[in-house]
Amino acid sequence: MSDRKLRLGAFIMATGHHIAAWRHPGSQIDSGTNIDHYIEVAKTAERGLFDQVFVADSPGLWFEGDDEAFSRQGRVSHFEPVTLWAALAAVTKHVGFVATASTTYEDPYLLARKFASLDHISKGRAAWNVVTTGAENVHGNFGYDKHPDPETRYEKAHEFVDVVKGLWDSFEDDAFSRDPASGVYFDPAKLHTLNHVGKHLKVKGPLNLERSPQGYPVIVQAGSSEPGKELAAATAEAIFTAWTSLAEAQAFYADVKGRLAKYGRRPEQLLVLPGISPVVGRTQEEADAKWAELQKLIHPSVGLSTIAPFWPGEDLTKWDLDAPPPYIPQPPLGRNSRAHVVLELARRDKLTVRQLYEYLAGARGHWVVVGTPQKIADEIQTWFENGAADGFNVMPPVLPESLDDFVDLVIPELQRRGLFRTEYEGTTLRENLGLERPVNQFTVRKQKAA
Amino acid sequence: MSDRKLRLGAFIMATGHHIAAWRHPGSQIDSGTNIDHYIEVAKTAERGLFDQVFVADSPGLWFEGDDEAFSRQGRVSHFEPVTLWAALAAVTKHVGFVATASTTYEDPYLLARKFASLDHISKGRAAWNVVTTGAENVHGNFGYDKHPDPETRYEKAHEFVDVVKGLWDSFEDDAFSRDPASGVYFDPAKLHTLNHVGKHLKVKGPLNLERSPQGYPVIVQAGSSEPGKELAAATAEAIFTAWTSLAEAQAFYADVKGRLAKYGRRPEQLLVLPGISPVVGRTQEEADAKWAELQKLIHPSVGLSTIAPFWPGEDLTKWDLDAPPPYIPQPPLGRNSRAHVVLELARRDKLTVRQLYEYLAGARGHWVVVGTPQKIADEIQTWFENGAADGFNVMPPVLPESLDDFVDLVIPELQRRGLFRTEYEGTTLRENLGLERPVNQFTVRKQKAA
C-alpha cells in the first residue's frame, strides 16, 4: 500500500462549485469566458502538483427554467473545453487536461482530431471525459427531435469510443522516418484505414494526425449509472463519481473494480476518483464561517429551483422557507438519487425548505467537507486507505479562492503524511497517473499475424 | 488612397508552401505536429506586425495516391486548426488567427461554439475561413456515401453561415449585468433562441456562450469559383485568392467588389487578399539560387503526381523528364484552371516534363516572386495601388526560414514606402483590418420593432 500514490484532479467550474459562488468576493465573476482566470487556476493547480484539471460540459445551456431563477445562474456562458485546454496547454508544463465531450452529439472524426491535437499540443497531457449527455435540452441544437434514451446513448458510446481509438491508431508509432536525404517522409504501410461500419456510426478514416505522445488521451468516464459503470469498465482509465459516505464509496469502488476482469483488464487500470468539495479554514470555526457565508448567498428562487422538480406541479415560492415542506411526495420511480436523498432528509430529519435547498444547492449533492487542513486530509486518507478511492476530484466551492486554499493548506498536509507527490513523476499525464501508454491496435494485429 | 492600409496575412503551411520544403534545412521537419514551431512562426508574424496567420484545412488526408509519391509528402499529419490557434492565442497578443472549417462536414452548433471560444480566448482575434471542402476523399470520414456536388455544398454553406451567425448573436452585448448585490447575473430577455429550420439544417439554440469581443469572428472565404465568389459577396469580410498576373487579379478584384451592392454591402467591407509566395534574397542572384535549390529538392515521383491528373490513364514514370511530354491532351471540361494553365504551357512554351511539374509543384500554382526585398515590395505596391489587392496572403515557401526573411527584409521596405503599419492600430483583428464590429441581429430587430 505504501507506494500507492494519491491522484488529484481539480474540477474547475467557472466561478466555483457552490451555486452562489459568483456572488462571493473570492470568485472571478465573469470566469466562464475569462481566459486569464483559467490560466491562473491552471497554474495554481500545477503549483499544487495536481495530476489534472477537469471541466464538465454540455453542448447547450446548463440550466433553463423560469426567468427569475435563470437570471441568477452564474454558469450560463462558458468555453468549449478542448479549445480552452489548448490555450492553457501553451502556458503550463505539467498539469493534465480532462475535457468533456459527448458521444451522443459530437462527430467521432472531429472529436478524435481535436483530442489528438490537444495531446500533441500539450505534449501528452490530454484526457477525454466520455459522456453521453444527460441534459434533455440539448438535442434541438443538433437537429434531433428528442433526446435519445439512455440505452441507445450508451450503446452508441461503446461504439463511438472504439471508433475514436481506431482513428487515433491510424498511424503506427514509427510510421514517420522524415529522411531529407532519401526524400521519404513516412511509410504508407504503417498508415491504417479504419473502415468502420457499425450500428450507429460509419467512419472510414484514417485520421490526418500521427499518433500522439500518450498513444491516445487518457479515457475518463463520469457517470455512476449501471450502463455508465459498464462503459467505464470497458473503456475508462479513470472514473469520476459522487458519494457522500465512506460506505457508499467503498461499495462503488468494489463494484467497478470487479467489472474489469471480464474485459481482460486489471483493477489498477481504472482509477476511481470521487468528488470532494473542501471548505478549508485554519480553524474549524473559520471553515464553518466560510461555509455559512456561502450558503447565505443562495437566493431563494435559485435554491427553490433545485428542489422544485421533486414537487411536480407545485409553486414553491408560496412556501415558508423556514418551515418544513407542507407535504412530502413519493419519490419518482427510477434512479434519480438526488430526489430520494432530499425527500428522505425532509421526512426523517424534518428539514426546513431552506435547509433542504441549502443541502442540495451547496455542491449539487456532492461531498462537502468543511474544516481544517488536518480534518480534510483525514477524510481523504481514510477513503484512500480503505478501498473507497484512488484519489479525488477536488471541487473548489469558490474559484480561484478555494483552490488557492487547498493548494496552500491541504496539499502540504497530504505531503507531510507521505500521501501525495512532492514533484511530478513524469512528463505526460499517463506517466503521472501511473497508467500505461496503450499499444497501437494495428501494430498488435500485425505482430499477431506475423 | 494615401490612408488605405495594406493588409498582410501569413498563410502557414507546416514546413512551408513549396512541395519539397520539408527536405530543406530551413524548415522544421516535423512541423505539422510541432507546437513549438507554430509558436515560433506566430511570434515571427507578430514581430512583423502581420494582421493574421492562417491555416488551410481538410478534415481528412491532404493527399492520397500511389505509395511512392504519397510516402514523400510532408503534409500528411497536422493539427486541427481551432485547437492549434487557441494554444497560440495564449502566447501572443496582437496577431489574428484565421482557422479553416468546413460547412459540409462540421456541425454548426459545435463550430459556432469553438470559434466563439477562440474569439474570447484570443480577446478578439479570431476569424473563420468558410470552406465547403473540395477534397473528394473526405466524405467517408463522416458516413457519407459520396462527396456532395458543389451546388449543394454552396447552398448549404449560405444557410450554415447564417445559422452560425445567429448562434453567435444568442446573447445581446449587454445581456450580462453580473451584480452580486442583487444576485442577478444576466437578463434572460436578452437571450435569443434561434429556432432555425431550413433546407439543410435544423438548429434550435441558443449558444451557451456570450457574444465575443469582435461580435463574431471575421468571416473569410477562399474559393474563386462562381459560387465561391457569390458566397464571399454575401457573407465574407476577406477573400483569399490565387492569381499570377496583375490583369487577372484586377479582373477578379473588380468582379467580387461589384457583387457586394446587391447584398447591401459596401466595397470596403470585403478585403481581397491574393496569395504571394516570396523567395527573398539580398540580391537577385541570391534569390534565384534559393529558388533553384528548392526546385532541385522535388523528387520526380512527387513532381509527376502533380501533373499526372492531366494525362488520365497514362504512366508518366516512363517519360523522359527532360523532354516535352510525348503528347498534349485536350484539357478537361469545367473550370479546373490548373490543367488549362499547365497544358497551355506545354503547348505554347514547349516546356519539358520536369519544367512543367516544377512550375506547378513549387507553390501549387500560386504566384511566386523571386527577388530582392525591393522587387517584392514593387510587386506588392503595384497590385495594391492598381485595383488588384487590398493586401496579401503571404505564403512562405519554407517555414520558419522564409517568414523570417520576409519579416526582416520585406516588411521594413514596405514600411519605408509608407505602405504598411509600424505598430498595431487596435487590439482586435477587426480593428487592425479596419472592419466594423457587427451589430447583434436580435438587438437590431428589437430596435426596429420598438
Side-chain angles (χ1 to χ4, degrees), chain A residues 85-344:
Chain A
W85 287 157
L88 301 201
V91 293
T92 53
K93 280 203 181 318
H94 302 287
V95 75
F97 294 103
V98 188
T100 300
S102 171
T103 55
T104 302
Y105 295 115
E106 297 216 15
D107 169 86
Y109 193 89
L110 299 175
L111 187 146
R113 214 183 155 201
K114 71 179 180 179
F115 275 92
S117 295
L118 181 63
D119 204 41
H120 279 287
I121 285 169
S122 64
K123 299 178 182 174
R125 296 183 284 143
W128 171 27
N129 176 35
V130 179
V131 299
T132 69
T133 302
E136 299 276 348
N137 68 337
V138 166
H139 60 274
N141 296 336
F142 299 92
Y144 286 56
D145 290 327
K146 65 181 188 65
H147 187 48
D149 61 49
E151 192 182 331
T152 306
R153 298 204 312 270
Y154 276 97
E155 186 183 80
K156 182 179 172 190
H158 282 267
E159 184 179 341
F160 194 111
V161 173
D162 283 347
V163 165
V164 168
K165 284 183 180 175
L167 291 170
W168 283 333
D169 281 350
S170 293
F171 289 94
E172 295 184 54
D173 286 299
D174 60 350
F176 289 83
S177 55
R178 297 191 171 102
D179 177 26
S182 68
V184 174
Y185 198 75
F186 83 105
D187 181 357
K190 293 181 174 169
L191 170 62
H192 302 277
T193 302
L194 189 62
N195 282 320
H196 173 86
V197 181
K199 181 168 172 189
H200 298 278
L201 299 166
K202 194 171 153 193
V203 184
K204 183 164 176 290
L207 193 66
N208 53 3
L209 197 50
E210 68 205 82
R211 210 151 186 263
S212 68
Q214 296 192 104
Y216 52 73
V218 175
I219 306 290
V220 178
Q221 201 277 337
S224 297
S225 66
E226 199 55 33
K229 285 186 283 195
E230 214 53 38
L231 181 64
T235 69
E237 301 169 279
I239 183 166
F240 297 154
T241 183
W243 303 105
T244 54
S245 78
L246 177 62
E248 288 170 308
Q250 285 168 324
F252 178 82
Y253 188 95
D255 178 358
V256 291
K257 295 271 184 176
R259 292 173 194 241
L260 291 163
K262 74 174 172 216
Y263 296 101
R265 304 179 67 202
R266 303 185 307 279
E268 63 272 24
Q269 291 181 300
L270 174 61
L271 303 169
V272 178
L273 307 174
I276 177 173
S277 195
V279 182
V280 190
R282 281 172 179 77
T283 62
Q284 184 65 43
E285 293 68 35
E286 187 181 294
D288 289 337
K290 274 191 185 180
W291 183 243
E293 184 191 358
L294 267 171
Q295 294 288 71
K296 221 171 51 187
L297 294 174
I298 303 173
H299 190 278
S301 69
V302 175
L304 291 174
S305 73
T306 65
I307 60 168
F310 313 139
W311 278 270
E314 190 69 39
D315 180 4
L316 277 63
T317 61
K318 295 180 180 153
W319 289 0
D320 180 354
L321 298 179
D322 295 309
Y327 68 97
I328 295 160
Q330 281 302 310
L333 292 174
R335 46 167 190 269
N336 186 338
S337 59
R338 281 194 214 172
H340 289 83
V341 168
V342 166
L343 296 173
E344 181 59 20

Side-chain angles (χ1 to χ4, degrees), chain A residues 178 185 210, chain B residues 15 27-35 37 77:
Chain A
R178 297 191 171 102
Y185 198 75
E210 68 205 82
Chain B
T15 52
S27 82
Q28 176 61 42
I29 202 162
D30 64 350
S31 60
T33 52
N34 183 326
I35 187 65
H37 167 75
S77 169

